[in-house]
Amino acid sequence: MKTRAITGFFFIIVMLASVLINGYVFGVFYLLLSGLALLEFYRLVKKAGINPDVMTGVLNGAFIYVVFALISVDGDYHKLIFLLPITLSFISIQELFKKNNAPFTNIAYTYMGIIFTIIPFTFFYALAYLNGPAANLHYPMAFLLMLWANDTGAYLVGSKLGRTKLFERHSPKKTWEGLIGGIIITALAAYIISIYFTELSVTQWIWIGVLISCFGTVGDLIESMFKRSIDVKDSGGILPGHGGLLDRFDGLLLAAPVVYAYLYFITNA
């Protein structure tokens, strides 16, 4: 418990620092984080006897992140998108030169790793540039605060009052009571955030909190389903007492793209 608490404290400090310093640090930090998460994904599927194209996958993942990061800052970079079909095709081409019995399984998991890890972090980074080329780090910071509020609320309420299983087949400890507690605590956090971050109304912040709670929980369940499918408990040991990066960011995987879409449409309405 002590190790978990110490790790959690420094983890929060580093995460907050990444969105407090400036846009460049923010971008580079999450590029590295998404790359490490992709490597973790590939390491896990290798345990199941699958051989993804790690180097090609990581290079493509980094390129996708950088391309969309540049487009978020300056739309003139949109032409770089047309390079992606060329770089992504090397994942399939590479399998032509390998001797294995399941080439398309390897190809599928190589692409899946990029979709599962890189794309969500790309949307999370883009939150800072919804309103133009000048970074507004209030959105990603608020996202993280509400994500942590949801995790904390769901854990506290679920451990004390949890009775009704939410999705026992994939996550035996999750309960409906925990989900509802997470939503309430996150809504409260959203209300407090609305006092200091006035870009949105209190109602809009609360709706974002509800989206983070619901889709963050679904992302957690999907990551649990993934781990069970390859028979592992933790995605890694990079964070002592907390497991791996996928364990810590499972709530971001679905929530970040959904929140980005919501914010994009309400801020451009």
Side-chain angles (χ1 to χ4, degrees):
M1 184 61 73
K2 183 179 179 181
T3 300
R4 181 181 177 87
I6 293 172
T7 303
F9 174 76
F10 283 105
F11 174 75
I12 290 173
I13 294 298
V14 170
M15 295 297 295
L16 290 177
S18 71
V19 295
L20 283 172
I21 299 175
N22 59 51
Y24 296 107
V25 172
F26 175 66
V28 172
F29 179 80
Y30 282 95
L31 171 61
L32 294 174
L33 204 60
S34 61
L36 289 172
L38 181 56
L39 284 171
E40 189 173 273
F41 178 92
Y42 288 151
R43 181 182 58 78
L44 288 173
V45 298
K46 279 191 170 186
K47 289 184 177 181
I50 299 160
N51 294 301
D53 297 307
V54 176
M55 184 59 69
T56 311
V58 169
L59 289 174
N60 270 283
F63 185 59
I64 288 171
Y65 181 99
V66 170
V67 166
F68 283 97
L70 290 172
I71 292 172
S72 297
V73 176
D74 186 346
D76 289 340
Y77 287 102
H78 71 277
K79 294 179 181 178
L80 291 173
I81 291 177
F82 296 105
L83 293 176
L84 291 178
I86 299 172
T87 62
L88 287 168
S89 69
F90 285 111
I91 293 173
S92 301
I93 293 170
Q94 210 169 309
E95 284 295 322
L96 292 172
F97 300 93
K98 297 181 179 180
K99 293 181 179 180
N100 58 64
N101 297 322
F104 278 93
T105 300
N106 299 335
I107 292 170
Y109 273 93
T110 305
Y111 283 124
M112 184 60 198
I114 295 171
I115 295 169
F116 195 63
T117 60
I118 301 296
I119 300 302
F121 280 106
T122 301
F123 274 102
F124 178 72
Y125 172 82
L127 285 173
Y129 295 93
L130 272 163
N131 302 131
N136 179 359
L137 298 176
H138 285 179
Y139 289 140
M141 180 183 290
F143 181 100
L144 290 177
L145 292 174
M146 286 187 278
L147 188 64
W148 295 334
N150 178 65
D151 290 343
T152 303
Y155 173 76
L156 292 176
V157 176
S159 61
K160 297 294 183 182
L161 304 175
R163 298 291 183 273
T164 311
K165 300 298 182 182
L166 177 63
F167 223 118
E168 190 171 10
R169 183 157 58 95
H170 297 301
S171 187
K173 294 182 179 179
K174 279 191 170 44
T175 63
W176 280 101
E177 292 84 357
L179 172 63
I180 294 169
I183 291 173
I184 293 171
I185 298 298
T186 306
L188 178 60
Y191 172 76
I192 296 171
I193 286 168
S194 71
I195 298 172
Y196 298 97
F197 297 168
T198 57
E199 292 89 345
L200 303 174
S201 68
V202 61
T203 303
Q204 290 169 336
W205 279 120
I206 290 174
W207 270 115
I208 291 171
V210 172
L211 290 173
I212 288 173
S213 292
C214 294
F215 285 93
T217 301
V218 174
D220 191 334
L221 289 169
I222 290 173
E223 200 255 349
S224 295
M225 179 174 66
F226 166 63
K227 289 189 296 183
R228 286 180 179 275
S229 71
I230 56 176
D231 196 26
V232 298
K233 182 180 179 182
D234 295 323
S235 65
I238 193 170
L239 299 170
H242 289 263
L245 290 174
L246 294 178
D247 292 324
R248 288 305 90 208
F249 289 98
D250 49 13
L252 182 145
L253 300 178
L254 286 185
V258 170
V259 168
Y260 179 88
Y262 174 78
L263 282 170
Y264 179 83
F265 284 113
I266 68 167
T267 57
N268 288 279

